[in-house]
Amino acid sequence: MTRPLEFTILATHNLARASIMRLPHGEVKTPVYMPVGTKGAMKGVTYQEMDDLGCKLLLANTYHLAYKPGGDLLEKIGGLHNFVNWKNNILTDSGGFQMVSMSKLTEVTEEGVTFESPYDRSTMHLRPEDSIHTQNQIGADIIMALDDVVRTATTGPRMQEASERTTRWLDRDIAAHKRKHDQNLFPIVQGGVDPKLREQSLNDLIQREANGYAIGGLAGGENKVDFWKTVVQCTTKLPTNKPRYLMGVGYPVDIVVCSCLGVDMFDCVFSTRTARFGTAFTDHGFLKLRNNQIANVFEPIQKGCQCQACKYFTQSYLHYLISREEVACHIISIHNLNYLIQLMLNLHQSIIDGKLNEFVNGFLKTWYKREGKIPQWVIDALEYAKLPIEQL
């Protein structure tokens, strides 16, 4: 590779695109869902199983890896790929999200963030330079700029401060990045759901050349109309020849709609977190395997699914296991991860085949069949993407 990232658009359907993203550890078809292995490991799923599922790109978190096993150890062994024996690509978050998820334990200043460890009460000072240094040690294929993250619903001076500080920190991120030849630094567009702040952030970040861009600050409880309009504001402004990553979004309907709006990459813990509570993804929506009526259903989670869970186990058996054995979470996690990976591969192929409209309508009709109605925000977003939706 002449660069650490090459992005080739194979086909488009209005805003949606099917592409190949070439990274140091192999090719990734986009749109793509990235499973989240926060601490360098998937909860309840091995790396071999992830490879068997066809996962080509997964996410790990700099904040947690910096605590344990630590950047120095990972650098010594040659990076996270070698440490966990993973041959495919890795993206690392910067630690910025922990400003929200651990807000009671953080203090943010212009210099950086001070965290109180949830593990041993020790203090971590995380500056942009520190985040990038640790990510250089981890050796991920894509690394994220440290951004000033606030809750989506935040308004007024604090949101403006966070958005503008994100740009200032980006300049420090870029200056600290020592592995430009084999690691891709993605800036993160901020600004909440304020169109003016988003526009300013977009303008600032586009001026700073990058191999790809992320859209941050969403999936935090905002109104769905604000959500999709903010997404499309970003995708229509960001460079067409660079991948676009919507952070923290992994609900099946959301990733289908946002793929149609021009997003290329997604991540979320939702698939494995719901699995631990006994909920499986299906074409007909969510299947709650704890429900008592499942005890007499001797069918797989989803007919036709080729994952190991559906090949070998019935809903009845999983219902029996879910409150008794941890292996049930493992089995359901494999199914949910497979569901999202295959959903994106099928959407990718539908764009290439010129059948995206057919694919999306089929997906929505099945997903919302029980409710009997497709939400208006979904219809409006897809109309903007020039994909006419047939109501149920």
Side-chain angles (χ1 to χ4, degrees), residues 32 47 75 82 116 154 176 192 195 200 206-207 222 269 283 285 295 358 365 381:
V32 62
Y47 278 97
E75 184 176 35
N82 289 344
E116 181 181 296
T154 303
Q200 184 61 55
I206 290 170
Q207 290 176 16
E222 69 278 359
V269 297
D283 288 342
E358 178 182 337
K365 283 183 178 179

Side-chain angles (χ1 to χ4, degrees), residues 147-365:
D147 52 342
D148 187 355
V149 183
V150 295
R151 296 189 182 278
T152 309
T154 303
T155 57
R158 179 64 183 105
M159 179 61 79
Q160 182 172 353
E161 176 189 50
S163 182
E164 293 174 351
R165 180 177 285 151
T166 292
T167 300
R168 294 194 296 272
W169 280 3
L170 173 60
D171 289 332
R172 292 166 60 186
D173 292 318
I174 293 170
H177 185 23
K178 305 303 182 186
R179 294 182 59 176
K180 296 180 175 66
H181 63 287
D182 65 349
Q183 288 184 297
N184 301 278
L185 174 62
F186 279 24
I188 304 172
V189 181
Q190 289 290 356
V193 293
D194 184 325
K196 291 183 179 179
L197 289 179
R198 282 282 173 179
E199 184 71 12
Q200 184 61 55
S201 181
L202 284 161
N203 289 334
D204 289 343
L205 269 53
I206 290 170
Q207 290 176 16
R208 293 153 172 85
E209 276 292 318
N211 290 342
Y213 294 87
I215 303 167
L218 294 175
E222 69 278 359
N223 179 282
K224 282 294 188 181
V225 174
D226 290 336
F227 167 75
W228 80 259
K229 287 187 176 182
T230 302
V231 169
V232 82
Q233 179 185 4
C234 295
T235 58
T236 54
K237 179 82 173 183
L238 288 168
T240 58
N241 62 337
K242 307 286 180 69
R244 306 156 183 161
Y245 164 29
L246 179 56
M247 305 181 76
V249 173
Y251 189 90
V253 171
D254 291 353
I255 63 177
V256 167
V257 170
C258 292
S259 293
C260 295
L261 295 175
V263 175
D264 305 297
M265 303 162 62
F266 304 88
D267 83 281
C268 192
V269 297
F270 185 62
S271 55
T272 49
R273 180 172 291 168
T274 53
R276 294 194 291 276
F277 289 97
T279 299
F281 296 175
T282 79
D283 288 342
H284 298 276
F286 301 119
L287 177 64
K288 296 183 178 180
L289 291 160
R290 289 183 182 272
N291 288 353
N292 289 333
Q293 61 264 35
I294 300 296
N296 294 305
V297 180
F298 302 100
E299 297 177 351
I301 294 172
Q302 179 164 302
K303 292 180 180 179
C305 177
Q306 296 300 306
C307 78
Q308 297 302 304
C310 290
K311 280 184 178 180
Y312 298 115
F313 305 107
T314 65
Q315 293 181 33
S316 176
Y317 178 60
L318 293 174
H319 171 76
Y320 164 76
L321 283 183
I322 194 65
S323 60
R324 295 171 174 82
E325 303 291 345
E326 291 184 6
V327 70
C329 301
H330 166 79
I331 295 168
I332 302 166
S333 292
I334 287 177
H335 170 80
N336 286 354
L337 291 169
N338 181 73
Y339 179 88
L340 291 182
I341 291 170
Q342 292 302 317
L343 178 65
M344 290 291 94
L345 287 173
N346 291 337
L347 191 148
H348 169 97
Q349 191 61 45
S350 74
I351 298 173
I352 291 176
D353 294 340
K355 297 181 178 179
L356 179 62
N357 194 61
E358 178 182 337
F359 174 85
V360 172
N361 271 280
F363 168 80
L364 293 174
K365 283 183 178 179

Side-chain angles (χ1 to χ4, degrees), residues 37-40 60-75 80 83 92-96 98 115 117-120 122-127 129-138 146:
T38 300
K39 299 179 182 179
N61 183 269
T62 299
Y63 169 84
H64 292 286
L65 291 173
Y67 267 113
K68 199 171 185 178
D72 291 344
L73 185 148
L74 290 173
E75 184 176 35
L80 185 61
F83 188 60
T92 42
D93 194 0
S94 65
Q98 276 63 45
F115 291 99
S117 170
Y119 304 112
D120 59 9
S122 63
T123 298
M124 175 194 286
H125 301 288
L126 187 66
R127 303 172 303 151
E129 294 83 1
D130 302 322
S131 175
I132 297 301
H133 174 65
T134 301
Q135 291 186 82
N136 285 163
Q137 292 179 312
I138 292 169
L146 182 66

